[in-house]
Amino acid sequence: MKLSKENILGLIALGTFLLMSLIAPGFLGSNNLTNFLFQLPEFGLLALAMMVVILTGGIDLSITYVAALSGVGAALMLTNGFSILTAVLVAILFGVACGAFNGFVVSKIGVPAILVTLGTMVLFEGVILAITKGNSISGFGDTYSLIGNGYYLGVIPLSFLIFIFFVILTAILLNKTSWGRSIYMFGNNDVATLFSGIKNSRVLMKVYLYVGLLAAISAIIMTSRYNSVKVDLGSAYLLQSVAAAVLGGTNIHGGYGKVMGTVYAVIIFQTISNGLNLLGAHSAIVDVFIGSILIIVLTLNFFSDKFKKKKETQASTA
C-alpha cells in the first residue's frame, strides 16, 4: 500500500513524539503535556494561515505583526473598560483590516506578495510602536485569561478546541467550497484560472482576509495566555509557520497542500521544541534545527520538481 505524503508525515510525527518520550525526562508528565496542548494552538493557527497564502504561490511576512496589532486592539479595549466580546471583535476587525490591506495591494495593484508583506511588516510594527510607545500592555482580568488558560470540562484546553475548530473549518473551506478549489487552481496556473472565468483578485482578497482572521484568533489566544501584549508578540513563529507549511507538504510555488500535513508538521516542531527544552538545549538550537529542516525540505522539493518535469518532458517526446 502506497502511503500519501501526509500519512508519512503523520508517522514521523508519531515517531518524534515517541523518541522524545524516551530521551526527554518528564516529556510524558501531565504538566508538560498540558503545556504542549496550550502552546500548540497559537503556533498552529499561524501555520494554517501561512499554508493558505502559500497555496496561492505567495507568502505573508507580516503575519506575526498582524497578530500583534490585533492583540493591541484587544488590549486597548480591555484596559479601557470595554467587554471581552468587544475586545475580541476589535481584535478580529484589526486582523481582517490588515489582511484587507495586504490583499488589496497584492490582488488589485499586482505587487508581489513578498514585497507587499515585507513593507506592511514594517508598517504594522511602526503602528504598534506608535500606540504602545514600545511598552507592553497588560492586566486583562481573569475572565479573559480563560480563553488561553481555561479548560473545557476541566480536561481539554479551550484554546486547543478553538484550534481544532479552525483546522476543520480550513479543511472544509479548501476542499468543499468553490473558493477553496479556486485557490488550488490559482496556485497551479493563475492565467488558466483567469480564462476559466474565475476572478483571481477576489480569490486572493478572500485569502488575505482569512489569513488576517486566523492571525487575530491566534493573537486573542496569545494575549489571553500571557495576559499582556507587546510589539514582538508571536514574532518567533514567523519562520516556524513557513517551515511548518513547507514541511507539511505545501508546494512553495503554490497549487498543492493539505491541512493535515500542516497540522502534523506543527506537532513535529512543537514536539522537537518541547523535547529540546526539557533536555536543556539552548533556544537558538531550536531555531537552527527548524532553519535546517526548511532548507533541506526546500532543496528536496526543488530536485523532486525538476525530476518530475524531466520525466514529463521525456514522456511527451517519446
Side-chain angles (χ1 to χ4, degrees), residues 252-275:
I252 196 69
H253 301 297
Y256 181 83
K258 291 187 176 179
V259 170
M260 276 317 297
T262 303
V263 172
Y264 286 140
V266 168
I267 292 172
I268 290 171
F269 281 134
Q270 194 63 43
T271 303
I272 291 171
S273 174
N274 191 286

Side-chain angles (χ1 to χ4, degrees), residues 20 37 49 68 94 98 114 130 143 151 157 167 174-175 187 199 222 234 267 272 275 308:
M20 286 301 172
L37 291 179
F94 273 41
C98 292
I114 190 169
T143 308
Y151 293 88
V167 166
L174 289 177
N175 299 313
K199 291 188 176 180
M222 283 190 280
I267 292 172
I272 291 171
K308 193 176 175 184

Side-chain angles (χ1 to χ4, degrees), residues 233 237 272 301:
L233 179 76
Y237 293 133
I272 291 171
N301 285 344

Side-chain angles (χ1 to χ4, degrees), residues 16 18 28 37 62 66 69 143 212 230 283:
T16 308
L18 292 175
L28 289 179
L37 291 179
S62 68
V66 173
L69 190 54
T143 308
K230 55 182 181 177
S283 59

